[in-house]
Amino acid sequence: MHVETDAPQTLVPASRRSRQVDPYFSIQAIARLVGEWMGGVGEEVALSGQQVVFGALLRELRLAASLTLEGLAEASGVSVRGIGDLERGRRAAPQRRTVAALADGLGLGEAERERLLTAARAGRNPGYSPTGVRSFPRGIDDFTGREQEVKHLADLAQRITAARQDDSPANPARPTVVVISGPPGAGKTTLALQTARDVADLFPDGQLMVDLRGTADDPPDVPELMLGVLKAFHVADRDVAQTGPQGHPELYRRLLADQRCLLVLDNARDEAQIRPLLPSAGTGMVLVTSRRMLTGLDNVHRLPLGEFDPQEATTLLTGLIGADRAEADPAAVTEVAERCGHLPLALRVAGNWLATRTGWPVRRLADRLADEDRRLNALTAGDIHVSAAFELSYQQLTPAAARLFRRLALVPGPDTSPAAAAQLTGQDQFDAEDTLEELVESGLLGTTGIRYRLHDLLRLYARTRLTAEESAADTDMARTALHDWLLETAIVAGRWYEPGYGAPPPDWHGTVDLSSADQARAWLQAEGLNWLAAYRAAATAGDHTTVVEVAEALHWFSDQWIFWGHWPEIFDTAARSAQDLNDPVLEATQLNYHAWALATCEGRYHDSLDRAAQALAAAERAGDLNQQAWAHNYRSNAFKRLDDFDGAMESTRRAAELFEAADDFNGALQARIGIGLILARANRPAEALSSLAEAFAFLDEAGDRVVTHIASFARIQMHLASSAAHHDLGDWDAAAGHLRTALDLSQDNAGMTSRTLNMLGHVLLSAGRTAGAREAFTSCIALGSEADPSTVADSREQLTLLDAAPGHVSASRPEAK
């Protein structure tokens, strides 16, 4: 696929960038120039023999009148160039009013006038249009991707054709306007050109492309653009002159209302430039391309373009470099596509670069692009520079938007929020949101839901501008403000889940709404990679107190987002910071959390045992009964998963004694649940159910002594264990009932939901209910990245077995973890 460069080049030759209207809009010139720009040639107008007859007759009559081209132009009001093109057959036969003007200028009698009109009518046969059906720039041979977008545009064009059949004064057809918007290099112009080629036959009165030069410092103004379109459609000079500039808009509207044409308005700057150029009536189609979203336009179809998907990206690269080279190292092709951010322009540049270096393996370019500091410089092919495409948009930003764009390079994660952006610039949140929207409108920033995303290559470009335009001190100040805000907010949000805390304190004046646990959870997850990066930076800087405080605040929250993937790192980092602080209680606490993460998140049970032993030693040095109890609790969990039930039971009973001595109610609850889990896993179902019944009663009696989310998590664990016990007793209905109750309780916890669905699938298989089992396994897989990887893998395996043997019965027992 040929992609737009969005670079300073223009389709108009340098010698014709002045306000000379007719050459600027010459269809044939545009076709030729676009063809050269695309590496091909422009298509010429296929002239009929009748057109040649008209031109020859006009020349004959002019010479008979002893008039030069200039003389006839002066007498008729038709331009010298227009007359010359007609005589040479380079221009379509003119409309009646132009023929009449030429006849008047020649001083023709009635017979010769009719003869000239007849020749003109013959030149305008149904198979020919005023501007030339085939005069629009052709597409290119390696157009790739955008199948849905091309189909959507083609469908709209077909609807226009259908609407023409029903056109009546009572139900007039309306022109169709489509705004194709997207970031620099997304391929907007190329999509418009490809569509124009595909649907050309549906617009027999012609197709015209107008370069609005919206990224230029001095784009053409609206009157010039209108006049150019009138000239391109060969409106007689006399008619243009008679109406005067004030009449050109009306003449323009009437022209487009009467033509079944396709108009491509390429590279629009803003709504003010494009709005007067949109027809209000007729059965034509207008494709507008712009880096801006042009949200101020009404009654238009919108087609936003982003980067390619991975398959489209690799397909384009393969087409450019050849299948043999791509197949020799498909991993390198994938890496090149990823490092181009799947952006069509960057992919085209990379592909052309490799295509001209046939001796280079793809791996060599992939390695060159791996260096982020050099990547933009490497994405250069000839006079096409990816960074130059970005520069055009950047230079049009307001100072506030340019500053925020530069500083967005400091956001460590893939996206951000207005509240975070405000920390980078010192704006209030509402002003920051307005500035973010300006960047979105300009095509330099994307959105994902309510968050804002900077494309990878644009992030690198923003970094270059930040380095070039701002001091190191200002950059460090902005980064520090963002990191401090992220960690402070993470602490307040995490404490919603910590016993003894809950809602933010009255003196906390944060910039995000954390008035409920659900909102706190949403913030922690949305900003997860951002506050994680800030956390790592604090650890690197030796800010051990902050590191430990963040980890402590997030301890109970980690149960709500078990399989995020970063908890082992967070608690391991905090344990090392606690050691550096020389505080054995903090050290024991964080070592215990790390023991939990190793076992629960990663299934590293032996490592978890070692870490819990270290926590126990630290807690004993500090004389802290509570952390000694938790160390025994985590040891019990690891022993249980290793099927050492005696060791697990001994550790749990010891933990229960210590929790009671330390007056830790939540710990005591966990110890009671732990006994039931051990018995269930040890295949002692009756004892397990008895123990779990006591735990349920203990929890019911606790009332408000247990935080809501902790009580809910505890009930989920007990229902899973109860289900496993009932399964061992062959009571499928009771087993399934406990799991369905657990599902109701775990709706906001994807990790526990995945485990519950997997267990339900096994129970239903054991009961011979294969349809329900299939549904449960499928639902488990559909939970995505937050699910327990082991249960997702098992669910896939069970579905494979079901496909191979529809009557498959589970060979394994469901187990509460």
Side-chain angles (χ1 to χ4, degrees):
M1 173 181 174
H2 185 88
V3 297
E4 61 176 347
T5 63
D6 281 343
Q9 294 88 348
T10 174
L11 301 185
V12 185
S15 62
R16 292 184 178 174
R17 290 177 190 165
S18 64
R19 302 298 175 91
Q20 297 176 6
V21 176
D22 194 47
Y24 182 84
F25 284 88
S26 167
I27 290 272
Q28 290 88 345
I30 291 178
R32 183 179 65 256
L33 289 163
V34 173
E36 293 170 356
W37 175 61
M38 297 166 72
V41 294
E43 297 184 17
E44 297 295 333
V45 179
L47 298 172
S48 70
Q50 292 292 341
Q51 292 169 262
V52 177
V53 168
F54 175 84
L57 177 59
L58 177 61
R59 178 178 173 79
E60 175 189 328
L61 293 172
R62 178 176 63 79
L63 294 177
S66 300
L67 288 172
T68 63
L69 287 172
E70 289 78 5
L72 179 55
E74 184 177 353
S76 66
V78 180
S79 70
V80 171
R81 179 172 179 169
I83 297 171
D85 286 347
L86 287 170
E87 289 188 359
R88 292 176 177 82
R90 294 176 179 172
R91 177 175 168 182
Q95 297 297 310
R96 183 181 182 89
R97 57 180 175 270
T98 303
V99 178
L102 290 168
D104 291 342
L106 290 166
L108 298 181
E110 288 300 323
E112 289 180 324
R113 178 185 291 268
E114 185 58 34
R115 182 184 174 199
L116 190 63
L117 284 169
T118 300
R121 283 195 296 270
R124 295 193 300 271
N125 62 65
Y128 186 75
S129 74
T131 57
V133 172
R134 301 300 177 192
S135 67
F136 200 87
R138 64 176 175 83
I140 58 174
D141 295 334
D142 61 353
F143 185 90
T144 300
R146 306 299 192 200
E147 286 86 358
Q148 292 184 349
E149 291 85 354
V150 169
K151 181 180 184 304
H152 177 61
L153 292 172
D155 289 345
L156 289 175
Q158 290 287 354
R159 291 181 205 170
I160 296 171
T161 302
R164 290 174 188 154
Q165 310 300 321
D166 301 329
D167 190 18
S168 67
N171 185 32
R174 300 294 181 190
T176 296
V177 180
V178 184
V179 174
I180 304 173
S181 62
K188 303 177 289 294
T189 298
T190 302
L191 175 61
L193 293 176
Q194 181 68 23
T195 300
R197 182 183 74 169
D198 292 347
V199 303
D201 292 344
L202 300 178
F203 299 94
D205 291 339
Q207 308 92 40
L208 176 66
M209 176 179 178
V210 182
D211 184 358
L212 305 184
R213 293 190 291 154
T215 53
D217 292 336
D218 185 25
D221 55 26
V222 170
E224 177 183 348
L225 293 166
M226 279 188 176
L227 188 57
V229 172
L230 293 174
K231 288 290 189 178
F233 276 94
H234 306 307
V235 175
D237 292 354
R238 175 175 295 177
D239 292 342
V240 172
Q242 285 177 348
T243 61
Q246 69 279 5
H248 290 172
E250 179 59 28
L251 190 61
Y252 175 89
R253 285 190 290 271
R254 288 206 313 268
L255 170 72
L256 293 184
D258 293 340
Q259 301 290 335
R260 297 166 299 172
C261 67
L262 173 62
L263 183 63
V264 176
L265 302 176
D266 188 48
N267 195 11
R269 187 182 190 91
D270 52 31
E271 293 89 342
Q273 185 193 43
I274 202 71
R275 190 178 285 112
L277 298 175
L278 300 180
S280 57
T283 57
M285 185 175 190
V286 182
L287 301 180
V288 180
T289 73
S290 179
R291 298 181 176 196
R292 302 182 68 85
M293 297 177 68
L294 304 179
T295 53
L297 296 181
D298 296 324
N299 300 317
V300 300
H301 298 270
R302 299 193 178 276
L303 188 59
L305 291 187
E307 61 267 25
F308 276 165
D309 65 38
Q311 182 60 51
E312 289 175 324
T314 55
T315 298
L316 175 57
L317 282 175
T318 299
L320 291 170
I321 67 176
D324 290 343
R325 290 176 76 187
E327 291 170 3
D329 194 347
V333 174
T334 299
E335 287 179 30
V336 170
E338 290 174 347
R339 288 163 186 167
C340 289
H342 301 143
L343 189 70
L345 171 60
L347 292 165
R348 168 67 64 175
V349 169
N352 287 345
W353 199 90
L354 284 170
T356 58
R357 293 162 176 81
T358 56
W360 278 41
V362 182
R363 169 57 54 192
R364 186 168 179 179
L365 178 59
D367 291 343
R368 283 171 62 92
L369 295 177
D371 185 348
E372 288 190 348
D373 293 333
R374 299 179 56 191
R375 186 175 302 168
L376 285 177
N377 290 333
L379 288 172
T380 299
D383 61 348
I384 305 299
H385 304 262
V386 172
S387 59
F390 301 157
E391 180 74 14
L392 290 172
S393 291
Y394 176 72
Q395 291 300 332
Q396 293 182 352
L397 296 175
T398 63
R403 182 176 65 159
L404 179 55
F405 174 75
R406 295 190 298 269
R407 293 187 176 186
L408 285 175
L410 299 174
V411 176
D415 53 31
T416 192
S417 64
Q423 308 307 312
L424 292 170
T425 59
Q427 296 172 289
D428 66 45
Q429 186 169 330
F430 294 108
D431 288 343
E433 187 168 13
D434 288 343
T435 308
L436 288 167
E437 287 298 328
E438 179 183 341
L439 292 173
V440 172
E441 183 68 27
S442 71
L444 290 176
L445 195 62
T447 58
T448 304
I450 60 174
R451 296 181 66 78
Y452 297 84
R453 182 177 66 88
L454 197 61
H455 186 275
D456 290 346
L457 292 181
L458 282 166
R459 181 186 300 277
L460 295 180
Y461 175 73
R463 185 190 299 172
T464 67
R465 301 319 313 152
L466 184 66
T467 301
E469 299 182 39
E470 301 204 30
S471 68
D474 286 344
T475 297
D476 287 342
M477 188 180 301
R479 181 187 293 109
T480 299
L482 175 63
H483 285 190
D484 287 350
W485 174 80
L486 285 166
L487 295 180
E488 289 169 5
T489 309
I491 290 169
V492 175
R495 281 177 174 164
W496 256 111
Y497 296 87
E498 288 292 299
Y501 285 95
D507 60 348
W508 187 74
H509 301 290
T511 57
V512 292
D513 185 0
L514 299 179
S515 57
S516 72
D518 287 341
Q519 288 169 314
R521 176 196 178 103
W523 186 91
L524 286 166
Q525 291 183 315
E527 297 285 1
L529 294 180
N530 289 329
W531 64 253
L532 175 63
Y535 181 83
R536 289 168 174 164
T540 300
D543 187 359
H544 302 306
T545 300
T546 296
V547 167
V548 172
E549 187 177 10
V550 171
E552 180 63 36
L554 295 171
H555 162 229
W556 283 97
F557 170 71
S558 61
D559 280 332
Q560 309 299 312
W561 199 16
I562 299 171
F563 299 103
W564 176 37
H566 298 287
W567 296 118
E569 175 192 354
I570 286 172
F571 295 129
D572 182 38
T573 300
R576 286 186 276 109
S577 284
Q579 289 170 350
D580 287 335
L581 290 172
N582 196 28
D583 187 323
V585 174
L586 292 180
E587 181 183 352
T589 302
Q590 300 304 322
L591 287 170
N592 272 325
Y593 297 163
H594 190 215
W596 167 85
L598 290 170
T600 304
C601 304
E602 295 186 342
R604 294 164 55 187
Y605 305 116
H606 289 289
D607 290 338
S608 178
L609 273 177
D610 291 343
R611 211 57 166 160
Q614 295 173 32
L616 180 59
E620 288 175 343
R621 288 199 309 273
D624 189 290
L625 298 181
N626 184 263
Q627 289 306 317
Q628 292 177 42
W630 281 109
H632 283 292
N633 187 73
Y634 293 129
R635 282 169 57 82
S636 171
N637 183 49
F639 280 133
K640 177 188 68 181
R641 298 300 300 163
L642 293 169
D643 291 340
D644 182 350
F645 302 123
D646 290 338
M649 190 65 74
E650 179 182 351
S651 292
T652 296
R653 296 194 187 284
R654 179 60 180 151
E657 294 171 358
L658 290 167
F659 280 132
E660 184 176 353
D663 194 27
D664 185 337
F665 183 84
N666 290 304
L669 173 62
Q670 290 299 312
R672 286 176 177 270
I673 295 171
I675 293 173
L677 290 171
I678 295 167
L679 292 170
R681 186 173 176 87
N683 200 19
R684 296 160 62 181
E687 294 173 82
L689 288 173
S690 176
S691 177
L692 288 167
E694 293 179 4
F696 273 116
F698 180 79
L699 182 56
D700 290 339
E701 293 171 2
D704 295 338
R705 293 184 64 189
V706 184
V707 179
T708 301
H709 70 270
I710 296 177
S712 177
F713 193 82
R715 291 185 187 279
I716 293 170
Q717 292 177 296
M718 290 190 288
H719 280 294
L720 296 185
S722 298
S723 174
H726 281 294
H727 177 276
D728 288 345
L729 293 172
D731 189 346
W732 318 126
D733 289 338
H738 278 287
L739 292 174
R740 291 194 172 96
T741 300
L743 281 176
D744 291 338
L745 293 170
S746 65
Q747 290 179 357
D748 295 328
N749 190 323
M752 298 306 292
T753 297
S754 63
R755 290 178 168 180
T756 305
L757 285 168
N758 179 259
M759 288 182 65
L760 179 60
H762 280 283
V763 168
L764 294 176
L765 274 183
S766 297
R769 304 171 192 171
T770 55
R774 183 184 294 275
E775 181 181 355
F777 291 134
T778 302
S779 297
C780 175
I781 295 169
L783 289 173
S785 59
E786 290 187 33
D788 180 346
S790 64
T791 60
V792 170
D794 181 74
S795 293
R796 292 187 190 279
E797 180 181 354
Q798 296 304 319
L799 286 176
T800 299
L801 292 172
L802 279 170
D803 290 338
H808 162 64
V809 175
S810 178
S812 59
R813 58 192 290 268
E815 294 178 348
K817 298 180 181 181

